[in-house]
Amino acid sequence: MKKNALTLTVVANMTSNYSEGLGNIASVQKVFKNRKIYSMRSRESLKNAIMVQSGMYDDLETNVDGAAQKKVTEELNAANCRALEGGYMSTQGTTYVRKSSFYLTDAIAAEHFVNETRFHNNLFLATNYAKANGISVQDNGGNSGLMPYQYEYDKSLKIYSLTVDLEMIGKDENFGAEADAEEKAERINALLDAVENLSLVVKGNLDNAEPIFVVGGLSERKTHYFENVVHVKEGKLIISEDLKEKLNRGFQAGLLKGNLLENEASIEEELATVSVAQFFDNLKKEVSDYYLA
């Protein structure tokens, strides 16, 4: 079978994103599995961050037809507009639908959720307003805009997968259009750059979400190939025989040495890892060779 997909599974130390709030209390998104609750970052949140940081949304145009949607025309389609690579549905006139050429899973924490609540207020701003208007924060907290608030905080090891359909990149069958080979390679490598250097802004704080362990490569199967064999327990990557068997079928693994995984020495020895930077350099070269060789 021909290799027609790219698949990655990533372990990263990242924060969760937030779901619905109750008053001035914000809670992180969670999922229930294995009879326990785990914090998570949703696939939608991840995809948006990757599209923005890769520059794929730099040429995004939107319009409103009841709801905001990506602008799509015969002259502006997935072949010449990178922002449409992640899929679209346009209901302006004729309805057009194109699925995304790449897919993400939710980034789910390796360990079950333990609530850490943080308490804050806007005392400095309220004091500034009170001083300017001759009132007392202590006596007139409401009039000065004083507002205490709290939110759940979670930053933990999370695991997610990314798979790209190499045959779909740069094609838009709705308009019979297709990007050239160089453009296809550049789009995928831009996505890989974003994953390698992923950062997130959460509650006004910058979050480094770069991979500390990553495994994958070009694949014959359009699926999250390593999703079921990459697990972390008590800070250690589980090095199973199935993980090693899958890895030996033409894939590679990258490790960021920072003691974020407690069994780094075993990972390096048993999985023959390279650095994370080298992993992505090798993979980007494979992508370029796939389209341009």
Side-chain angles (χ1 to χ4, degrees), residues 204-221:
N205 297 310
L206 188 62
D207 175 33
N208 182 352
E210 67 182 350
I212 64 171
F213 175 80
V214 57
V215 59
L218 299 193
S219 172
E220 298 172 349
R221 296 173 55 191

Side-chain angles (χ1 to χ4, degrees), residues 12-238:
N13 190 32
M14 68 167 67
T15 55
S16 301
N17 61 313
Y18 287 81
S19 56
E20 296 297 324
L22 178 62
N24 63 343
I25 304 173
S27 59
V28 299
Q29 285 203 333
K30 306 177 188 73
V31 62
F32 181 79
K33 68 172 188 174
N34 301 330
R35 298 180 301 279
K36 293 182 180 179
I37 295 174
Y38 295 82
S39 60
M40 60 175 276
R41 175 165 287 276
S42 70
R43 68 193 71 188
E44 293 84 5
S45 172
L46 270 178
K47 184 175 184 179
N48 186 74
I50 290 171
M51 287 292 286
V52 169
Q53 291 178 46
S54 65
M56 297 283 275
Y57 270 164
D58 288 354
D59 58 1
L60 176 65
E61 295 186 43
T62 57
N63 52 33
V64 177
D65 184 16
Q69 57 185 233
K70 297 174 183 177
K71 183 177 180 180
V72 180
T73 66
E74 188 170 354
E75 293 74 30
L76 189 70
N77 55 68
N80 56 37
C81 179
R82 292 186 175 188
L84 301 178
E85 195 63 72
Y88 64 77
M89 182 177 72
S90 173
T91 58
Q92 292 283 322
T94 303
T95 297
Y96 292 109
V97 177
R98 179 192 183 270
K99 295 188 295 184
S100 176
S101 56
F102 68 97
Y103 300 89
L104 286 148
T105 66
D106 296 326
I108 300 177
E111 304 287 351
H112 66 89
F113 180 67
V114 177
N115 188 10
E116 179 186 339
T117 304
R118 297 196 170 184
F119 300 87
H120 294 270
N121 59 59
N122 61 340
L123 180 61
F124 182 84
L125 295 179
T127 301
N128 180 268
Y129 179 86
K131 182 179 179 180
N133 290 273
I135 60 177
S136 168
V137 173
Q138 287 78 13
D139 297 332
N140 299 280
N143 292 335
S144 63
L146 182 64
M147 180 184 295
Y149 62 95
Q150 64 191 71
Y151 60 86
E152 295 176 341
Y153 176 78
D154 170 75
K155 183 175 176 70
S156 57
L157 296 181
K158 294 181 175 64
I159 304 168
Y160 70 93
S161 296
L162 165 72
T163 296
V164 182
D165 184 341
L166 299 179
E167 296 179 313
M168 191 175 178
I169 287 285
K171 290 184 179 180
D172 197 323
E173 294 182 351
N174 289 320
F175 303 99
E178 184 172 353
D180 60 33
E182 184 175 359
E183 171 64 14
K184 293 179 181 181
E186 287 181 1
R187 290 187 185 188
I188 296 176
N189 287 338
L191 294 174
L192 293 176
D193 282 336
V195 171
E196 180 183 0
N197 302 290
L198 188 61
S199 62
L200 307 165
V201 177
V202 185
K203 293 290 183 184
N205 297 310
L206 188 62
D207 175 33
N208 182 352
E210 67 182 350
I212 64 171
F213 175 80
V214 57
V215 59
L218 299 193
S219 172
E220 298 172 349
R221 296 173 55 191
K222 297 176 183 178
T223 187
H224 302 308
Y225 189 65
F226 289 92
E227 179 181 17
N228 295 323
V229 294
V230 175
H231 303 284
V232 175
K233 185 175 182 180
E234 297 179 356
K236 296 180 180 180
L237 180 74
I238 297 176

